[in-house]
Amino acid sequence: MKAMYKRCLGYLQLRRYSSNAAATFSRESPDVKPFKEIPGATGKFTIPYYIGNTFLLKSLGCSEYPVDLKKLMTGIHKRYGDIARIRTTTNKWGVFLFHPDFAKEVLEIQIRNPFRPPIDILRIYNEKENLSQSLATLNGEEWAKLRKPSQELILRPVAVSAYVGSLSKVADDFVEKYIHGG
């Protein structure tokens, strides 16, 4: 387990999930590995413009539409392990983490202005309804300006404790629906 954790940490330190990897990269650890060494899709599964994804989906038994996301993710996890890279769209790649310790590591990385792929459906909805963009839809300086005041509030345990009950109900409901397919 410890060797796997160090290997994953090396992968994560290289990219730091930033659009400017060169600015955030540092070779603090000799375990740092190139992005291309993350286990994942190769060959015909990497053809861009959804062609490779079609082959991958079929090989994992997920060729029917809509795709069974649970079956797809289980197949990727079984085939590639606890960390996998898959071409998601055109020339973009996604890194999928199937171990909670790896997700924790990613979430703890401190970057001043990280880049996260936008959640288009939220951005489109906000624009359609004339709503402000949120932390989920912003990047760069705009994201940092919005995050700073909310971070100060969120880091106070007393402020967060008021929402634990509501969030717990939502999480329990999600898990129940996920498990029972509702």
Side-chain angles (χ1 to χ4, degrees):
M1 175 71 174
K2 192 167 191 131
M4 185 184 312
Y5 178 78
K6 285 181 104 179
R7 188 176 77 213
C8 179
L9 180 59
Y11 295 140
L12 297 175
Q13 284 179 335
L14 175 64
R15 294 296 296 224
R16 302 258 183 170
Y17 295 93
S18 171
S19 61
N20 187 358
T24 59
F25 173 70
S26 65
R27 279 208 179 264
E28 298 166 359
S29 168
D31 298 323
V32 173
K33 304 279 190 260
F35 176 75
K36 289 184 177 185
E37 287 188 27
I38 295 174
T42 58
K44 69 181 179 184
F45 300 142
T46 64
I47 300 171
Y49 302 104
Y50 301 103
I51 297 168
N53 285 344
T54 302
F55 290 127
L56 179 63
L57 289 169
K58 189 173 182 179
S59 76
L60 294 172
C62 299
S63 54
E64 60 281 342
Y65 186 81
V67 173
D68 181 344
L69 191 58
K70 184 176 180 181
K71 185 176 181 180
L72 173 63
M73 290 297 121
T74 300
I76 291 171
H77 183 206
K78 284 181 181 176
R79 182 172 290 176
Y80 301 115
D82 285 336
I83 181 171
R85 66 181 170 89
I86 305 294
R87 185 181 295 279
T88 56
T89 60
T90 58
N91 282 326
K92 296 182 181 176
W93 288 84
V95 175
F96 296 86
L97 305 174
F98 296 100
H99 194 284
D101 289 343
F102 298 162
K104 179 178 184 271
E105 182 70 28
V106 169
L107 293 172
E108 288 178 345
I109 294 172
Q110 297 294 320
I111 301 172
R112 184 167 175 229
N113 295 326
F115 174 81
R116 294 154 341 278
I119 303 171
D120 290 333
I121 191 76
L122 292 177
R123 181 187 49 78
I124 292 167
Y125 178 80
N126 288 346
E127 288 171 1
K128 181 180 175 192
E129 298 295 322
N130 292 323
L131 299 172
S132 299
Q133 297 298 329
S134 68
L135 288 174
T137 58
L138 294 173
N139 277 303
E141 292 292 326
E142 293 174 311
W143 176 85
K145 287 178 188 174
L146 185 59
R147 183 177 186 266
K148 185 170 177 142
S150 61
Q151 179 183 12
E152 292 169 3
L153 178 65
I154 289 171
L155 290 177
R156 287 192 230 135
V158 173
V160 174
S161 66
Y163 300 99
V164 169
S166 298
L167 292 173
S168 181
K169 288 178 188 175
V170 171
D172 290 344
D173 187 45
F174 172 78
V175 169
E176 185 67 27
K177 288 183 183 212
Y178 182 76
I179 290 172
H180 298 295

